[in-house]
Amino acid sequence: MTSPLVVVLDYGSGNVHSAVKAVEAAGARVELSADRARVMAADGLLVPGVGAFRAVMDALRAVRGDELVDRRLAGGRAVMGICVGQQIMFERGEEHGDVCEGLGEWPGAVTALRAPTVPHMGWNTVQAPADSTLFEGLHDERFYFVHSYAAHDWTLEVTNPKIRAPRVTWSEHGERFVAAVENGPLTSTQFHPEKSGSAGLALLGNWLRTL
């Protein structure tokens, strides 16, 4: 059986090469590209993200990555966001009084963590739904976080009984925040699977098996 092809979106994100290596180690064929044809043809698109919300959005738009994400999701094609790559899926980010529009795939805002120590840096547990595909076999594992902002609420409601409701995973650092989302073709994690050792590779493997 042929390994799935994943394109890691090349828009200048700082952790892009470690993401490429991790997805390869998890069992995929990987290309680093922002080429429209390559992105659209891939089995999965990985959107990494490091730094400020606005900087990531500006860099993403510079390569028309916002359009590529939207087109893939409109066609039911898999997309996974990591760290700020998860945050930009929400309507907006608010950092130091700067409000920036996100991709708007989910309602809500990404705001500063209210915790004794910021950034939230290091290993932490998560609370995943029992029926999670992403965390299958990983419910007792820890994952590696590096962030000062997060989504603290989940307000998207699904009223159509034929559509599976999003599965939201939570973690805590001073307060509860969204640690991962599984929403049809769109998957994301606030933590870094590529820095989370064997647990992170297993999680990426779970995602690859959905492609």
Side-chain angles (χ1 to χ4, degrees):
M1 185 174 182
T2 304
S3 298
L5 173 63
V6 172
V7 167
V8 176
L9 189 60
D10 186 12
Y11 69 99
S13 178
N15 69 329
V16 66
H17 294 292
S18 59
V20 167
K21 291 179 181 178
V23 178
E24 285 179 339
R29 294 172 293 132
V30 184
E31 294 182 5
L32 178 61
S33 179
D35 178 78
R36 185 182 186 88
R38 300 307 301 159
V39 169
M40 295 307 298
D43 298 304
L45 173 66
L46 187 73
V47 184
V50 171
F53 192 104
R54 182 176 291 279
V56 169
M57 282 301 304
D58 287 347
L60 194 69
R61 290 191 176 108
V63 299
R64 302 181 72 174
D66 53 338
E67 297 178 23
L68 295 174
V69 169
D70 185 66
R71 286 291 300 276
R72 281 191 62 92
L73 293 175
R77 308 296 304 281
V79 175
M80 182 175 187
I82 291 176
C83 196
V84 186
Q86 165 172 289
Q87 296 177 6
I88 59 173
M89 299 300 171
F90 288 87
E91 285 180 319
R92 65 189 185 280
E94 301 175 9
E95 297 189 5
H96 304 294
D98 178 29
V99 179
C100 178
E101 182 180 346
L103 296 180
E105 298 297 337
W106 302 317
V110 171
T111 57
L113 284 171
R114 296 179 291 270
T117 304
V118 175
H120 173 211
M121 183 180 297
W123 298 85
N124 203 349
T125 56
V126 300
Q127 296 84 50
D131 63 346
S132 169
T133 300
L134 194 62
F135 291 91
E136 184 177 355
L138 299 169
H139 288 270
D140 297 323
E141 296 288 349
R142 292 174 176 264
F143 299 89
Y144 193 83
F145 292 82
V146 183
H147 63 117
S148 299
Y149 296 83
H152 302 96
D153 301 296
W154 182 264
T155 59
L156 178 64
E157 294 184 3
V158 176
T159 56
N160 186 338
K162 296 182 180 180
I163 298 177
R164 186 172 188 174
R167 287 161 287 173
V168 181
T169 293
W170 300 87
S171 188
E172 290 188 19
H173 181 71
E175 59 184 338
R176 195 170 81 143
F177 64 87
V178 176
V181 180
E182 299 163 76
N183 181 202
L186 181 54
T187 302
S188 67
T189 66
Q190 177 61 68
F191 56 83
H192 289 273
E194 78 280 9
K195 297 180 180 179
S196 296
S198 59
L201 292 182
L203 180 138
L204 289 171
N206 285 344
W207 177 63
L208 293 177
R209 282 188 285 276
T210 70
L211 303 182

